[in-house]
Amino acid sequence: MIASPPGEKLATAGPSLNDAQREAVEHGSGPLLVLAGAGSGKTRVLTARIARLIGDGIVRPDQVLAVTFTNKAAGEMRERIGRLLGSDPAGMWVGTFHAIGARMLRANAALVGRTSAFTIYDEDDTLSVIKRLMDRHRVSPKTWTPRAISSAISDARNALVTPAEYARLAQTPFAKAVVPVYNDLEGAFRAANAVGFDDLLGLPVQLLTEHEDVRERYEKRFRVILVDEYQDTNRAQYEFVRLLGARHGDVVVVGDDDQSIYGWRGADVRNILDFERDYPSAKVVRLEENYRSTPQVLALANAVISENEERRGKVLRATRPSGDPVVLVAALDDRDEADYIAAEIEQRRSRNGEPLGANAILYRTNAQSRVLEESLRRRAIPYRLVGAVRFYDRREIKDLLAWLRLIANPADDEAFRRAITAPRRGIGETTVEMLAVAAADAGVPLLEAARREDLTTGARIATRNALADFAAVVGRFRVKAADSSVDRLILSLVDEIGYANALRAEGPEGLERLDNVAELARGAAELVIDEGGEVGLRPLDHFLQRATLVAGLDLLGPDADAVTMMTLHTAKGLEFPVVFIAGLENGLFPLSRSFDDPALLEEERRLFYVGITRAERKLYLTWARSRRRNGELISSAISTFMTPAAEKLVEPQATIRLRASGRSGGVGIRAESPPRDWDDDAPRTWRRDASRERAVHMDEMSQDVPAFVQGERVKHKTFGSGTISAMAGAGRDAKVTVDFDDENVGRKRLVVAFAGLERGFD
């Protein structure tokens, strides 16, 4: 144990510390848990404590191990400590868990079957190894993607589950497919003198567990261990800290159980909740003074997080003066919500001269960005996405747009080249290049060459059949496009080509991509409405034109004044003067699956708390009374997070469109619809649990569709008056063919639900 410092040697701590911060910095010896609330200055505490210990001569720099979660944080910590000390703390180990693990492994490489020159494989390298092992064990990548297998193994390794234990627990077909790959992965890495990213956590724990002399050497060296963001540690990181700190017990961990939001990637909030279980003599210090947000923001944050039962408990106290009230805005639908946010940002700029960069828009799922992006674009408001790709630049969106381009224009060879691989169908680049040569010689597009037997004779029979099948699918959908709305065309296409299954097989990342596919269909449905319900190739062309122009916008320069957009997970650790949290509805935030899992619901609530505490001066919460899902407006209920106690702390507002609709009301008025996940609106073949609910909504929608008869006179807001010459379909899919009086308009095929037709006009 380190000696208690003399009371007079505290100059390095500085006079700017509050009482709780000073208590943590001056703590003598033994374990310490610092519960650091959002915006409470935890980094100052960590750096001041390390500087005090070194500056007062209690420990040497090389006896200090400081662990952070990002390389940037590690660099900032070393720089701050150097400034406090007046010199670089040479010899101190400060870095991420992975960086420190790599350093330890290089010094002891032989004990884990490597040399000190081992290579660290990145994700792509690891995937290549996994693909080869899958091939060796005949695990079909069409059934289970290499990325999904890799993700499962990564989860197991971070949880310190050995291959033998994984094999013993494997029950599902997927888990059983993982077993042989996991069994052979370590051998493959050893043979290549390489380690995977997860090995940088797992192998150091193995080293410290199996080699007592190594553990004793590091235990003796590191007399003080400090860990930042302890609430985000997983099993391997927890064991690493426990093993190294066992001898001296001088383990200081800093974190906030109320900001533990990474359970989905292995973080265990119990590590911080049960700290005294491993260190019974631990002192606990709470940092509750917040230097970031106004009292109004913090009052809401405290009210929201107090609903969680699994927490240590603390109350944030504001040090800033009183500010603007938190606003809770109800919108008519998701487009109205996005338009309100964009308009409010615009007004703040013109009214207060506020830079666009002061604003951040946060949301639960990446798919929500599409409607927000489009609303900002319509107003020419620059924005940047953090931690994500712009919607129309995402791989799955580009894949489906390639299909739609080829359906609209069979001569589009670039679209052919992409669509033929989305999803993969056993046709590689060599085949496509061979086909391209034959097509060029014959003077026909690639699609035409694919359907002609005389131009594919050089390929294997299976490949020729695959090319013909692909061409046939495109042909069928070109016929279907003439009588289908773009949103229905997309949904039908995704089912027909098995694209949903291909994405689902990619694991959690694939499911998020599937959400984006559903959002693409929603965007198409909006265009159908904007264009008066017209179906056919012309609306498809318009949709593709809009998507192409959006995707081709110039990227912002690094210094451009722009709104920041990101998911709530990405926002952790950041702060902004003005924050908008969009989509505060049951089934979206929190996700509906959390209602069956108390631990997940509490993590969702912590995520909301993180979002609230990003705001410095002004916070807007927005929700939509309905969201468009596959072209249907489905009622939404305000999030369960907005309890009666929370509602008292916000100023309720309604958008102009909602007020004009007559549906506005008090904050506490909640729709009776059950919670649904954002992705539950995908076709029933995508999500098993959505089918019954979708059928109900389809019936409800059908009751609202006006009924017309053949020969009836109608009026369209864009095309004018005309006569219904034919009818087809029923309910939401009901369509009419109208011969319009204007010869320049002529005959149009319209979806009744979207056309807004009025009857009885001569």
Side-chain angles (χ1 to χ4, degrees):
M1 305 284 281
I2 61 176
S4 297
E8 66 273 13
K9 293 188 177 182
L10 295 172
T12 53
S16 61
L17 300 174
N18 63 40
D19 291 343
Q21 290 173 334
R22 186 172 293 276
E23 182 181 5
V25 169
E26 296 180 6
H27 172 68
S29 61
L32 171 67
L33 168 61
V34 181
L35 291 172
S40 62
K42 68 180 178 64
T43 304
R44 183 190 309 172
V45 169
L46 269 175
T47 53
R49 177 168 177 79
I50 294 172
R52 184 187 72 83
L53 292 174
I54 296 174
D56 290 356
I58 298 169
V59 296
R60 301 188 309 270
D62 65 346
Q63 293 176 316
V64 176
L65 173 65
V67 188
T68 65
F69 264 77
T70 67
N71 290 314
K72 180 182 178 183
E76 290 176 349
M77 183 179 291
R78 178 179 287 278
E79 185 180 336
R80 286 195 189 190
I81 293 169
R83 285 203 304 268
L84 288 171
L85 292 173
S87 63
D88 182 65
M92 182 179 73
W93 280 29
V94 55
T96 65
F97 276 103
H98 292 90
I100 289 169
R103 188 171 181 176
M104 191 176 289
L105 289 178
R106 291 207 187 275
N108 303 274
L111 297 179
V112 292
R114 274 80 165 175
T115 73
S116 60
F118 65 75
T119 300
I120 298 174
Y121 277 3
D122 62 16
E123 183 179 4
D124 289 340
D125 296 327
T126 300
L127 277 175
S128 295
V129 176
I130 285 175
K131 288 174 184 176
R132 288 197 297 273
L133 293 177
M134 290 174 65
D135 186 56
R136 177 191 302 173
H137 293 286
R138 296 192 173 130
V139 177
S140 171
K142 293 182 179 179
T143 305
W144 313 113
T145 66
R147 195 173 297 278
I149 298 282
S150 178
S151 178
I153 294 174
S154 177
D155 290 344
R157 295 164 101 189
N158 285 322
L160 299 181
V161 175
T162 65
E165 185 178 0
Y166 192 94
R168 190 168 61 252
L169 296 173
Q171 298 293 327
T172 66
F174 173 69
K176 291 176 180 178
V178 171
V179 168
V181 180
Y182 191 13
N183 278 335
D184 287 1
L185 190 59
E186 170 62 11
F189 278 141
R190 283 196 184 207
N193 191 32
V195 298
F197 202 62
D198 298 320
D199 287 324
L200 300 179
L201 299 178
L203 288 179
V205 171
Q206 179 183 323
L207 188 68
L208 296 172
T209 302
E210 297 178 356
H211 300 277
E212 186 175 351
D213 58 327
V214 175
R215 184 175 72 251
E216 288 182 354
R217 186 168 78 246
Y218 285 110
E219 282 180 333
K220 289 177 181 177
R221 172 173 181 167
F222 297 124
R223 298 192 50 203
V224 175
I225 299 173
L226 303 99
V227 185
D228 194 10
E229 303 286 5
Y230 191 66
Q231 79 280 350
D232 292 333
T233 52
N234 60 29
R235 173 73 187 280
Q237 292 160 338
Y238 161 81
E239 282 294 324
F240 182 75
V241 173
R242 187 186 67 81
L243 288 165
L244 285 179
R247 176 182 291 264
H248 296 293
D250 280 306
V251 176
V252 177
V253 301
V254 180
D256 184 2
D257 53 307
D258 290 335
Q259 295 188 74
S260 179
I261 58 173
Y262 296 116
W264 51 275
R265 68 182 189 195
D268 188 352
V269 70
R270 302 304 317 178
N271 292 346
I272 194 169
L273 294 178
D274 296 339
F275 185 74
E276 293 98 326
R277 178 194 62 193
D278 300 306
Y279 305 94
S281 62
K283 180 181 181 64
V284 179
V285 175
R286 287 173 168 80
L287 304 184
E288 298 176 304
E289 289 189 51
N290 177 283
Y291 295 91
R292 176 187 300 155
S293 306
T294 62
Q296 287 81 358
V297 171
L298 295 184
L300 178 63
N302 288 328
V304 166
I305 202 62
S306 66
E307 296 292 321
N308 273 8
E309 296 180 1
E310 293 292 322
R311 62 188 297 258
R312 302 296 300 249
K314 63 182 177 304
V315 178
L316 294 179
R317 299 188 299 274
T319 59
R320 297 184 61 159
S322 183
D324 294 337
V326 176
V327 176
L328 176 64
V329 181
L332 183 63
D333 54 30
D334 44 348
R335 293 183 74 181
D336 185 33
E337 176 189 48
D339 287 343
Y340 168 84
I341 292 173
E344 186 67 13
I345 290 173
E346 201 169 45
Q347 288 173 18
R348 292 186 70 90
R349 178 170 58 173
S350 61
R351 186 172 63 234
N352 308 328
E354 194 169 66
L356 295 175
N359 299 276
I361 305 174
L362 311 181
Y363 36 82
R364 179 63 182 85
T365 68
N366 271 313
Q368 288 172 261
S369 79
R370 196 270 311 167
V371 67
L372 292 162
E373 287 183 65
E374 293 188 353
S375 188
L376 291 172
R377 284 196 187 98
R378 283 195 295 272
R379 288 172 171 77
I381 298 175
Y383 67 91
R384 56 170 51 89
L385 263 66
V386 177
V389 179
R390 289 178 179 238
F391 185 81
Y392 286 99
D393 290 333
R394 293 168 189 167
R395 183 242 295 174
E396 61 279 12
I397 303 305
K398 283 183 170 291
D399 284 349
L400 291 175
L401 289 178
W403 273 94
L404 295 175
R405 283 167 51 197
L406 192 58
I407 290 166
N409 175 15
D412 188 337
D413 283 352
E414 288 305 311
F416 178 96
R417 288 175 179 274
R418 182 159 193 138
I420 197 76
T421 64
R424 296 197 175 275
R425 58 192 68 245
I427 300 173
E429 290 184 15
T430 302
T431 299
V432 174
E433 291 308 317
M434 178 200 71
L435 187 68
V437 172
D441 290 343
V444 298
L446 285 172
L447 183 63
E448 176 63 24
R451 66 165 57 97
R452 283 178 50 175
E453 292 186 7
D454 61 312
L455 297 182
T456 59
T457 53
R460 293 177 301 152
I461 293 178
T463 302
R464 292 166 62 185
N465 289 339
L467 287 169
D469 289 344
F470 174 80
V473 171
V474 175
R476 287 199 300 275
F477 272 86
R478 183 162 173 80
V479 172
K480 184 176 290 189
D483 191 41
S484 178
S485 59
V486 182
D487 59 316
R488 288 292 168 179
L489 189 71
I490 292 171
L491 298 176
S492 179
L493 177 66
V494 169
D495 275 348
E496 174 78 16
I497 65 176
Y499 196 69
N501 290 334
L503 290 179
R504 193 182 297 108
E506 294 181 9
E509 182 183 335
L511 292 180
E512 185 168 322
R513 292 187 184 280
L514 198 54
D515 294 344
N516 293 332
V517 170
E519 182 60 30
L520 181 69
R522 282 190 284 271
E526 291 175 5
L527 186 64
V528 174
I529 295 171
D530 291 343
E531 299 217 336
E534 184 180 0
V535 299
L537 289 171
R538 178 176 171 277
L540 175 58
D541 289 337
H542 285 190
F543 175 75
L544 291 170
Q545 175 179 302
R546 184 180 69 169
T548 302
L549 292 176
V550 164
L553 287 178
D554 292 336
L555 295 177
L556 293 171
D559 300 323
D561 183 30
V563 176
T564 299
M565 294 176 59
M566 68 185 83
T567 65
L568 285 144
H569 280 100
T570 306
K572 187 173 180 292
L574 303 176
E575 57 190 46
F576 301 90
V578 182
V579 169
F580 295 82
I581 300 179
L584 198 60
E585 300 142 34
N586 282 342
L588 178 53
F589 193 29
L591 297 175
S592 66
R593 55 180 174 268
S594 65
F595 287 94
D596 298 321
D597 184 346
L600 181 55
L601 183 60
E602 293 214 344
E603 180 161 318
E604 289 278 293
R605 188 177 286 111
R606 292 195 293 268
L607 186 58
F608 185 36
Y609 173 84
V610 165
I612 293 171
T613 54
R614 299 312 93 196
E616 297 173 356
R617 292 190 282 105
K618 182 68 176 181
L619 175 64
Y620 295 84
L621 309 175
T622 65
W623 69 288
R625 291 283 180 136
S626 57
R627 281 195 183 266
R628 193 165 303 285
R629 308 186 178 200
N630 297 338
E632 303 166 36
L633 275 175
I634 307 300
S635 295
S636 301
I638 192 170
S639 173
T640 187
F641 295 153
M642 291 307 299
T643 62
E647 288 180 4
K648 294 177 182 177
L649 300 172
V650 301
E651 179 182 286
Q653 294 183 7
T655 64
I656 295 174
R657 284 185 59 203
L658 179 59
R659 292 197 301 271
S661 73
R663 295 179 58 196
S664 61
V667 173
I669 297 177
R670 296 165 171 8
E672 295 300 321
S673 59
R676 289 180 299 278
D677 268 357
W678 178 249
D679 51 24
D680 275 355
D681 58 345
R684 62 195 68 189
T685 52
W686 300 8
R687 305 276 180 179
R688 289 176 301 173
D689 58 348
S691 58
R692 181 181 306 170
E693 191 172 302
R694 276 185 49 76
V696 171
H697 295 313
M698 291 284 282
D699 289 344
E700 292 173 351
M701 185 70 184
S702 299
Q703 295 172 9
D704 297 329
V705 175
F708 294 97
V709 296
Q710 189 171 343
E712 188 171 2
R713 293 283 292 169
V714 292
K715 184 176 182 180
H716 188 278
K717 64 179 181 179
T718 303
F719 305 137
S721 298
T723 303
I724 296 176
S725 60
M727 303 182 62
R732 183 197 175 280
D733 290 323
K735 301 182 186 72
V736 293
T737 301
V738 181
D739 291 325
F740 287 98
D741 300 342
D742 188 336
E743 293 181 358
N744 293 322
V745 175
R747 174 171 289 186
K748 297 286 185 183
R749 185 83 158 155
L750 307 174
V751 178
V752 176
F754 297 153
L757 292 174
E758 298 178 60
R759 54 165 45 96
F761 289 87
D762 294 329

